[in-house]
Amino acid sequence: MTKRLTVSLLALCLVGEASMLYSQETTSSQRLKALPDMELQEVVVTGTGTQHLLKDAPVQTEVISHQQLQQYSGKSIEDILSGLTASFDFSENDMSSRLQMNGLGNSYVLILIDGRRLHGDNGGENDLSLIDPHNIEKIEIVKGASSALYGSDAIAGVINIITKKHREKGAMLENTTRVGSYGDIRQHNGIALNYGKLSSYTNFQLQHSDGWQNTSEEALSQTEYHITDSRNKTVNRHTNWQVAERLTLQASRQLELYADGSIYWKRIYRPCGHHPGVDVKTWDLQYNNASASVGGKWKLNSTDIFTIDADWKRHAYNYFYTDTTLTDGYVNGRFTNYYPYFPGDKELQSDQRLTNVSLKGIFTLPYEQRLSAGLDYRYDWLKAPMRVESGKATDNTQAVYVQDELGLLDPLYITAGLRLTRNEGFGTRLTPKISAMLKLGGLRLRATWSQGFKTPTPKELHYQYIKNMNGVYLYLGNQNLRAQTSNYFGVSGEYTIGHLTVTLAPYYNKVNDMITLVTIPTKEAPGELIAKYDPIRVRQYQNMEDAKTYGVDLTVRYQTKSLSAGGSYSYLDTEANQYDSENNTMQHVTIDGMAHHKANVYATWNHDFSKHYNMGIGIYGRMSTKRYYQTDGNGKGYQLWRLSTNHQIGKMWRIDVGIDNIFNYVDRTPHGLHLGTTTPGRTVYATLTVRFNQGKKLTNKYKSNLNSNNNDQQD
């Protein structure tokens, strides 16, 4: 395929996608009727950091499209990912969602919002409540190590949340309100202003749930007494809200500048236990986040682009006391005396701050080549007076990377990249990646080999904390940890015939020196901590000797103008060797949270009953077999089904009504043990969306800048 033809197809696809983005001009079904029998392909950017048609992307990329998101009407990013792809598992609790992707946990999955790193740590994992589900345009998922392009954390893969872009002339107002069982409320409000060269988008989101209790029984292994009337909940009552603002200045046809920021607040309300042996909670959990970013994009010519981004993000985690509590007092990380806290007092547990600066250039070279090159700087700062020995810890990383995309060998396309990373505590490391795609008519064959590199986080190195539950459980960081590396091998075959697309993707991912929490003999803990707390169990971050995940993902999709059906299946197995210091033996274990089999199925139908009313109906199912854990029992397998209906009324109104967990499945495993799913049983929900758009047509300026602005993060 010649360069001219490639550019023409790319422009055609972008114009098609822009028409879909301008969703309020036509109903969902009318948009589909405007398409040819073969749906116009999405433009994706995550696999290479550059634009490609989905069907021609050299790196296997899974897309959850705007239409799928609207039809499914998920209440959260956890709900969306677990409901629409079989590669994910979640184990929600107060501290985090415990995401797992193809056998590896959240700390190995890089989550991006418009190409920039999400930062909001809860219990060592990202707080996914920072993502507004009603402001997502689409989601791109790339599996396997992507450290060559994205650096640390991208060992299991990358999830790129691409937000909606509001470029209508004049003003746009939108409101989405969702209510559901158990006091579930989700609120989204947006105001977009676009006048001349300046545009603004203000976004507010609110999430609340009253929580629920699937069982009142405490596990016998966790308590001193047999308790059957515990007040502990499966999911506690919680509330969070966020306000975000983005300003964009189109200074010229070649130069775009932006600035954005957000503030976020979250509180988890925890009931107090009333039995001996049950953790008596005299404080709630409160989180305060803030972020600020600036950047720009300079189009050197029609093909070459230079970008700069600077991000600052903060995540603060506090205890909010609800009863008088005598607790440890610390100064600069050292215990001084016991200190009383009273209702309404707050106590800082950790304050994490991230500064990230990146420079990137994309250049077209002779012989059908496209070169990407960049510099990254990252600085992590942690303040935790109660949990870090010196009170503070820091880390900084610098990196340079280069990637070449070669299309000269048509129909064989090759992408190769290399990153040189230097970390202040763990030295220098090269991480390569090479991908190839062979196009044979409707068949796409892809193969990837890549390496990953991940340094221990400041928490894994320095953190220490206690948990009371029928005794003291002591958790320790480890300053002797080694950096983690990985080797990933993946192949895939994708075949499209008519309206049917089938993808089969086996993979193998070996992680060396994988970091995990390990139960160690009490005698190996620091003597002063043993004397102070007298713990019955000590857990410490340690390196496994090696770990590997391997499996295969199968995806089937059938798409017509009004009917869509398909599903995904994921087979997974994991192995790890872990040294048992107490018995001086090597243990063969599975990675916590692994399930051998997971699947999703769906069928949707849309129909125009008039030019003012369109209805859609969708049925969704997700299944998982037993999830395996090293301690505290395995999680039960489950099967959940969902019915959703969508009603587009004219251009301004949309109503979504549905039932989740139709057959009322509830996992009633006692508190303290692992759950297969935290669902409370059958729930109902209703969503109302109202959208007013002053602008009625795409401006010529918007059309002319479409190639560079459709996905802000891509170049």
Side-chain angles (χ1 to χ4, degrees), residues 627-669:
R627 301 185 68 186
Y628 294 89
Y629 293 88
Q630 296 178 44
T631 61
D632 298 329
N634 298 318
K636 297 177 182 178
Y638 59 87
Q639 183 178 154
L640 306 175
W641 290 88
R642 175 193 188 103
L643 174 68
S644 68
T645 66
N646 318 108
H647 311 268
Q648 183 73 44
I649 305 170
K651 300 176 181 180
M652 291 182 57
W653 304 86
R654 179 182 174 89
I655 299 173
D656 301 91
V657 180
I659 304 173
D660 202 3
N661 194 357
I662 296 171
F663 300 107
N664 198 33
Y665 173 77
V666 179
D667 186 343
R668 301 197 185 278
T669 299

Side-chain angles (χ1 to χ4, degrees), residues 139-263:
I139 302 171
E140 296 180 7
I141 302 164
V142 175
K143 299 169 186 176
S146 298
S147 294
L149 188 61
Y150 292 106
S152 189
D153 302 340
I155 284 181
V158 179
I159 303 170
N160 193 3
I161 311 294
I162 298 173
T163 61
K164 296 176 182 177
K165 303 300 181 293
H166 303 280
R167 303 185 183 279
E168 301 90 340
K169 183 179 180 180
M172 186 280 297
L173 304 176
E174 61 182 357
N175 172 82
T176 298
T177 302
R178 174 186 170 121
V179 295
S181 305
Y182 300 96
D184 188 75
I185 301 172
R186 312 278 163 153
Q187 180 71 35
H188 162 82
N189 300 98
I191 303 175
L193 302 173
N194 194 341
Y195 293 99
K197 297 181 178 181
L198 184 65
S199 62
S200 163
Y201 183 66
T202 306
N203 177 58
F204 170 80
Q205 68 150 327
L206 169 73
Q207 301 178 16
H208 172 82
S209 172
D210 288 342
W212 58 86
Q213 184 186 59
N214 289 348
T215 180
S216 59
E217 182 179 359
E218 297 285 343
L220 289 173
S221 60
Q222 304 288 326
T223 61
E224 184 177 355
Y225 307 96
H226 186 203
I227 298 171
T228 58
D229 59 347
S230 171
R231 295 176 60 192
N232 283 329
K233 289 188 174 184
T234 305
V235 173
N236 283 322
R237 183 165 70 97
H238 56 273
T239 303
N240 61 271
W241 57 262
Q242 182 182 49
V243 178
E245 169 67 27
R246 180 180 176 93
L247 293 171
T248 303
L249 175 65
Q250 193 70 47
S252 68
R253 293 177 63 89
Q254 292 76 34
L255 181 62
E256 179 183 279
L257 304 173
Y258 80 87
D260 63 32
S262 68
I263 55 174

Side-chain angles (χ1 to χ4, degrees), residues 82-144:
S82 61
L84 295 177
T85 177
S87 301
F88 294 94
D89 263 319
F90 292 90
S91 303
E92 297 183 61
N93 59 29
D94 280 351
M95 296 302 297
S96 68
S97 297
R98 301 295 177 190
L99 178 154
Q100 191 180 79
M101 175 179 176
N102 282 19
L104 295 176
N106 187 307
S107 61
Y108 298 95
V109 181
L110 178 61
I111 301 176
L112 306 174
I113 299 180
D114 289 333
R116 291 180 290 155
R117 182 183 299 267
L118 177 69
H119 177 71
D121 179 276
N122 284 357
E125 304 200 9
N126 282 310
D127 183 358
L128 300 184
S129 298
L130 287 161
I131 302 170
D132 181 356
H134 298 295
N135 195 37
I136 301 175
E137 177 61 33
K138 64 178 179 179
I139 302 171
E140 296 180 7
I141 302 164
V142 175
K143 299 169 186 176

Side-chain angles (χ1 to χ4, degrees), residues 600-651:
N600 296 75
V601 294
Y602 70 92
T604 65
W605 176 76
N606 286 274
H607 181 70
D608 282 327
F609 288 90
S610 73
K611 66 178 182 179
H612 298 295
Y613 175 63
N614 168 267
M615 183 180 75
I617 299 176
I619 185 75
Y620 301 85
R622 57 186 173 104
M623 311 89 178
S624 175
T625 57
K626 178 169 59 178
R627 301 185 68 186
Y628 294 89
Y629 293 88
Q630 296 178 44
T631 61
D632 298 329
N634 298 318
K636 297 177 182 178
Y638 59 87
Q639 183 178 154
L640 306 175
W641 290 88
R642 175 193 188 103
L643 174 68
S644 68
T645 66
N646 318 108
H647 311 268
Q648 183 73 44
I649 305 170
K651 300 176 181 180

